[in-house]
Every structure is written in structure tokens, then in C-alpha cells.
Amino acid sequence: MKGTTLQEHARSRADELPGTSLEHPFGPEWEVYMVRGKVFMLLTAVTGEPIVILKAAPADGEALRSAHADITPGYHMNKRHWITLSPGESIDKALVNELVTESYLLVVENLPRTERPVDPATFGQSHAGEIGR
């Protein structure tokens, strides 16, 4: 998948998720997607190619990096809790949608219950167990 297409798919999925906002706290070259003020996705091309940076559970991140050549530790982020999706053949639209949703839910589940735009226990149940496929 080309880098611009990768970012378009990630952006499209993020825009569908309840309670999200797009901000530019690090300048115009960084698109930062948040849910209730907490970051769940970053898009940039400061590395020379368009990339997507997402939150991931440590075990899932490790499995994804092993299974996909185009998934690496999070660029400028905690390497245990964030992953970077780069352009390449090992990533498809379904995987991008799944990983954006998982990143979002990881952040939502750590919000106070009264601030959660969705119930992370029920939202995305159809995605359970698909990480690392």
C-alpha cells in the first residue's frame, strides 16, 4: 500500500470513530487524532515517507512487528506501546482499519467511564482476536 493511501485509510477510519478530534499540536506536518484529549493516532511524513503511528498493547505490537515487515516500533514514541505503519505490501485496508480501531479502544478504556464515547467492552467485539493475523 502506498503511503498516501495508508494515511487516507487511517484518517477515514479515525473520522468514523465517536468523540475523535484532529489537532496539530506539533505543527502542520503532524496530524494528531485524539479522543477526549488523549492521543490515539499520529500521521506525518517527517521521516521522508507518509507513516501512521498507533497505540498497541505490548504483546500485540510485538506480534504485529514479527508478522509484518512494514510495522515497526513507534516513531518518536514509547517502543513498547506504539507501532508505526509504513508504506509496503504487508499492510492492507482491513488491517489499517483494525489497528486504528484497536488504538482508539486502548485509549478509550483508560478514560473515566463518564468520558468514554463508547463502551470498549462492546464496541469492536467483532474485531476480538484478529490482531496479529
Side-chain angles (χ1 to χ4, degrees):
M1 177 178 299
K2 291 182 181 178
T4 53
T5 304
L6 172 68
Q7 285 188 336
E8 287 170 10
H9 288 317
R11 191 179 292 115
S12 177
R13 179 60 184 144
D15 288 340
E16 296 172 346
L17 298 168
T20 62
S21 64
L22 169 61
E23 301 185 22
H24 297 87
F26 310 122
E29 60 278 339
W30 286 87
E31 292 180 40
V32 180
Y33 280 83
M34 298 183 173
V35 56
R36 303 294 194 249
K38 303 290 183 185
V39 176
F40 73 92
M41 180 173 79
L42 301 99
L43 287 76
T44 189
V46 299
T47 60
E49 64 183 357
I51 59 172
V52 176
I53 305 163
L54 299 165
K55 194 165 187 68
D60 291 340
E62 188 175 316
L64 288 161
R65 289 189 298 271
S66 294
H68 302 275
D70 304 312
I71 299 179
T72 58
Y75 177 76
H76 274 296
M77 302 298 275
N78 181 309
K79 306 302 184 211
R80 285 193 70 230
H81 297 278
W82 292 85
I83 57 174
T84 296
L85 311 183
S86 299
E89 298 302 315
S90 74
I91 298 174
D92 62 18
K93 182 179 180 179
L95 182 60
V96 172
N97 287 343
E98 179 182 333
L99 296 177
V100 170
T101 302
E102 284 298 314
S103 181
Y104 169 84
L105 291 173
L106 283 170
V107 173
V108 168
E109 72 184 13
N110 286 312
L111 293 172
R113 289 190 192 283
T114 57
E115 292 183 30
R116 294 177 181 175
V118 298
D119 180 354
T122 58
F123 187 89
Q125 278 185 342
S126 63
H127 298 290
E130 293 181 13
I131 295 292
R133 64 183 155 99

